[in-house]
Amino acid sequence: MTARLLDGKAAAREIYERIAADVAARVAKGGSRPKLATVVVGDDPASAQYVRMKQANAKNVGIDSEDHHLPAATTTEQLLELVESLNRDESVSGILVQQPAPRHIDMTRVITALDPGKDVDGAHPFNAGMLALGFEGGIEPCTPAGIVALLERAGVPIEGANAVVVGRSNLVGKPTAFLLLRRHATVTICHTRTTDLASHSRSADILVAAAGKANLITKEMVKPGAAVIDVGTNWVNGKQVGDLGPGVADVAGWLTPNPGGVGPMTRAMLIKNTFEAEVRRTGG
Ligand code: NAP
């Protein structure tokens, strides 16, 4: 392997240390302690596990958390009632509705019902719109913000770089593209209807693989020296793998491990967003 590692665990640790100090200082001055409310619908073990990890991360920096685990048969209306009560709850700084939710849940209604100031995954159209328009002051989605933070921490040049994002979801692909565009990369977004994905990926100085398809990006599809971010989470024979095929580490200049790259940064950004949401909500 020749690529330099974009170490998500180390980068996340630095963020947690900063936030823990900020929370302690805030509480010592008599300020409110931030609280993260997580909502999981259904019995997906991965979702339950992600939420447990997010709560542990919150606790470790002094942020309170509460989990609302609803049965799979919960209706959209029932979920909306919970979201609205969390919106009104003065003790709650941020709300995360873990995705994917069961198919019968209308996530568009749920996301648009969130108080944009408590929307700590930056999914509400207000926050998404702020990002798309290049305005400051919205909440940035956790995974995309974590990706960009990893690139910046490593000093990967973004301005003027050719960035290719594989995936166009509202959660990952599109907001990652907008964050890179905001930093003056030239951005291409690829998806399942893209013809000749390899011709795009080979032009990328920064390649973000967020398709959720194991082995989608082979080493032949990577420009030598590129920064490659492996977002995908796939399970192959009980083992977590990303979207990259074997040998990419020998071609890339920088690479995120998977696991240990984007995942830890996603959670760190959630904790950061929760702290900042509380600071904004309380006026300081
Ligand atoms: P998603 O909603 O399923 O979107 C996947 C995107 O990839 C779609 O836009 C799809 O194109 C595109 N795609 C799929 N197969 C492709 C192919 N063969 N060629 C080109 N494009 C392809 O998933 P997501 O929520 O964006 O998440 C993407 C992956 O990242 C998943 O594996 C997810 O588990 C993982 N993830 C990881 C973290 C983390 O913290 N590590 C966080 C979030 C997500 P179409 O739009 O044309 O269908």
Side-chain angles (χ1 to χ4, degrees), residues 131 141 143-145 147-148 165 169-182 187 208 210 231:
L131 175 59
T143 299
I147 291 169
V148 170
V165 180
S169 71
N170 291 337
L171 207 62
V172 185
K174 279 185 217 151
T176 300
F178 281 124
L179 283 176
L180 291 168
L181 187 61
R182 180 180 275 186
V187 183
V208 180
V231 187

Side-chain angles (χ1 to χ4, degrees), residues 17 36 51 53 62 82 108 125-126 135 138-140 170 180 196 199-200 240 245 261 264:
E17 274 167 23
L36 172 66
V51 160
M53 285 157 75
L82 173 61
T108 304
F126 173 80
F135 293 168
I139 300 178
E140 294 178 353
N170 291 337
L180 291 168
D196 199 358
S199 71
H200 293 286
Q240 183 184 325

Side-chain angles (χ1 to χ4, degrees), residues 9 96 111 138 210 215 222 255 267:
K9 284 187 187 165
L96 175 84
I111 287 167
N215 293 314
V222 174
L255 184 70
R267 298 199 306 279

Side-chain angles (χ1 to χ4, degrees), residues 125-200:
F126 173 80
N127 290 313
M130 293 289 276
L131 175 59
L133 295 175
F135 293 168
E136 298 292 338
I139 300 178
E140 294 178 353
C142 302
T143 299
I147 291 169
V148 170
L150 269 179
L151 292 169
E152 287 181 333
R153 177 176 181 270
V156 175
I158 301 179
E159 184 171 333
N162 285 332
V164 172
V165 180
V166 184
R168 57 175 163 179
S169 71
N170 291 337
L171 207 62
V172 185
K174 279 185 217 151
T176 300
F178 281 124
L179 283 176
L180 291 168
L181 187 61
R182 180 180 275 186
R183 285 159 182 77
H184 311 293
T186 302
V187 183
T188 304
I189 304 178
C190 298
H191 44 78
T192 54
R193 316 288 168 89
T194 297
T195 53
D196 199 358
L197 177 60
S199 71
H200 293 286

Side-chain angles (χ1 to χ4, degrees), residues 27-232:
V27 172
K29 279 192 307 198
S32 56
R33 188 178 291 281
K35 191 201 292 186
L36 172 66
T38 55
V39 181
V40 182
V41 184
D43 309 314
D44 176 30
S47 291
Q49 165 75 357
Y50 290 145
V51 160
R52 271 198 301 277
M53 285 157 75
K54 287 167 181 174
Q55 290 186 332
N57 296 138
K59 188 172 174 220
N60 288 341
V61 299
I63 290 180
D64 287 337
S65 65
E66 63 183 42
D67 184 33
H68 298 264
H69 200 147
L70 307 179
T74 301
T75 63
T76 300
E77 296 304 331
Q78 287 167 327
L79 183 52
L80 287 171
E81 266 175 43
L82 173 61
V83 165
E84 276 150 21
S85 83
L86 294 172
N87 283 345
R88 286 190 302 270
D89 187 336
E90 283 294 315
S91 75
V92 169
S93 329
I95 306 166
L96 175 84
V97 182
Q98 183 68 37
Q99 296 194 52
R103 289 171 99 75
H104 67 272
I105 299 281
D106 183 345
M107 279 309 289
T108 304
R109 286 182 68 201
V110 174
I111 287 167
T112 50
L114 288 166
D115 174 345
K118 294 188 179 188
D119 165 37
V120 281
D121 204 11
H124 187 282
F126 173 80
N127 290 313
M130 293 289 276
L131 175 59
L133 295 175
F135 293 168
E136 298 292 338
I139 300 178
E140 294 178 353
C142 302
T143 299
I147 291 169
V148 170
L150 269 179
L151 292 169
E152 287 181 333
R153 177 176 181 270
V156 175
I158 301 179
E159 184 171 333
N162 285 332
V164 172
V165 180
V166 184
R168 57 175 163 179
S169 71
N170 291 337
L171 207 62
V172 185
K174 279 185 217 151
T176 300
F178 281 124
L179 283 176
L180 291 168
L181 187 61
R182 180 180 275 186
R183 285 159 182 77
H184 311 293
T186 302
V187 183
T188 304
I189 304 178
C190 298
H191 44 78
T192 54
R193 316 288 168 89
T194 297
T195 53
D196 199 358
L197 177 60
S199 71
H200 293 286
S201 66
R202 267 199 298 270
S203 75
D205 304 305
I206 297 171
L207 178 60
V208 180
K213 291 273 174 289
N215 293 314
L216 177 66
I217 306 293
T218 63
K219 65 177 194 293
E220 294 77 17
M221 293 168 73
V222 174
K223 178 176 179 177
V228 182
I229 309 290
D230 192 10
V231 187

